[in-house]
C-alpha cells in the first residue's frame, strides 16, 4: 500500500469491493473499459437478440434457453412467440445448445466469430442479452455493444446493475 499511488477499478461496484478488502478509498479511482466505435451503420431492419460470450453455466445460458423455450410454448390459447436468439462464442455448453437448437425457441448458435462478424451481428440485432448468474466486473462485450449503439438487456446482478441503465442503455 505504501508504494502504490493509484488503484484502478473498472466501475463503482469493483471500487467498493477493493475498499472493502482494505485498500485506501482515496487512492482507488474508476476508469471504465473502452473500445473504438465500429465503422458500421446500424441496420434499419433490426431483428432478434444476440448473446456474445463464453458458453458456460455461470453466463446464464440456461436462463436464456429456458426463456426462449417458454416463449415458444405459451399454451393452446396463445400463439407461440418466435423469438430469434443468436449465440456467438464457444465453451462447454456448445453441445447442449446445439441439441436444443432444433426445438421451437431454441438458441441459434453461430460459433466463435472474429470481432468484425460480431460487430455485423450487433448492427442487426434488437438488443444484446447478458443473462449472467455470476458477478461480472465489466464484460468487454458490454462496452462493444454500447459503442455499436446496441441496447443491452442484462441481469440486475453485481456491476451489470450499475452499468446497464434502464431506458438509457
Amino acid at each position: 500500500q505504501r508504494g502504490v499511488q493509484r488503484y484502478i477499478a473498472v466501475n463503482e461496484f469493483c471500487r467498493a469491493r477493493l475498499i472493502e478488502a482494505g485498500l485506501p478509498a482515496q487512492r482507488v479511482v474508476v476508469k471504465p473499459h473502452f473500445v473504438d466505435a465500429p465503422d458500421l451503420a446500424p441496420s434499419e431492419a433490426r431483428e432478434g437478440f444476440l448473446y456474445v460470450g463464453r458458453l458456460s453455466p455461470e453466463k446464464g445460458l440456461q436462463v436464456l434457453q429456458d426463456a426462449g423455450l417458454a416463449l415458444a410454448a405459451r399454451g393452446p390459447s396463445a400463439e407461440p412467440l418466435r423469438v430469434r436468439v443468436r449465440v456467438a462464442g464457444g465453451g462447454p455448453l456448445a453441445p447442449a445448445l446445439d441439441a436444443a437448437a432444433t426445438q421451437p425457441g431454441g438458441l441459434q448458435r453461430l460459433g466463435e466469430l472474429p470481432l468484425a462478424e460480431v460487430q455485423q451481428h450487433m448492427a442487426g440485432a434488437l438488443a444484446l442479452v447478458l443473462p449472467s448468474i455470476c458477478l461480472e466486473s465489466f464484460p468487454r462485450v458490454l462496452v462493444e455493444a454500447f459503442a455499436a449503439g446496441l441496447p443491452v438487456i442484462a441481469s440486475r446482478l453485481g456491476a451489470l446493475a450499475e452499468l446497464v441503465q434502464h431506458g438509457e442503455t
Side-chain angles (χ1 to χ4, degrees), residues 2-147:
R2 289 189 304 264
V4 177
Q5 293 180 357
R6 291 282 178 267
Y7 297 93
I8 298 174
V10 293
N11 54 53
E12 288 297 333
F13 178 81
C14 291
R15 181 178 187 273
R17 301 295 87 67
L18 293 173
I19 294 167
E20 286 174 15
L23 294 180
Q26 67 276 12
R27 287 195 260 164
V28 182
V29 298
V30 173
K31 181 180 183 302
H33 289 313
F34 60 92
V35 296
D36 291 330
D39 192 20
L40 286 172
S43 171
E44 294 289 324
R46 289 180 176 261
E47 67 165 328
F49 297 94
L50 179 65
Y51 169 89
V52 179
R54 181 164 165 71
L55 307 183
S56 57
E58 71 277 6
K59 297 298 187 174
L61 286 162
Q62 190 62 55
V63 172
L64 189 56
Q65 180 74 35
D66 291 348
L69 295 175
L71 286 172
R74 292 186 51 197
S77 64
E79 275 294 313
L81 293 176
R82 303 284 181 225
V83 179
R84 185 171 154 206
V85 181
R86 291 167 291 175
V87 175
L93 293 181
L97 292 176
D98 287 343
T102 59
Q103 300 175 29
L107 307 179
Q108 177 190 357
R109 199 164 74 81
L110 304 172
E112 296 182 53
L113 302 175
L115 179 58
E117 284 186 51
V118 169
Q119 289 173 334
Q120 294 244 328
H121 284 284
M122 285 183 171
L126 289 172
L128 179 80
V129 183
L130 286 172
S132 288
I133 58 173
C134 66
L135 295 179
E136 300 274 4
S137 58
F138 198 147
R140 178 183 167 100
V141 70
L142 179 66
V143 74
E144 289 170 344
F146 288 165

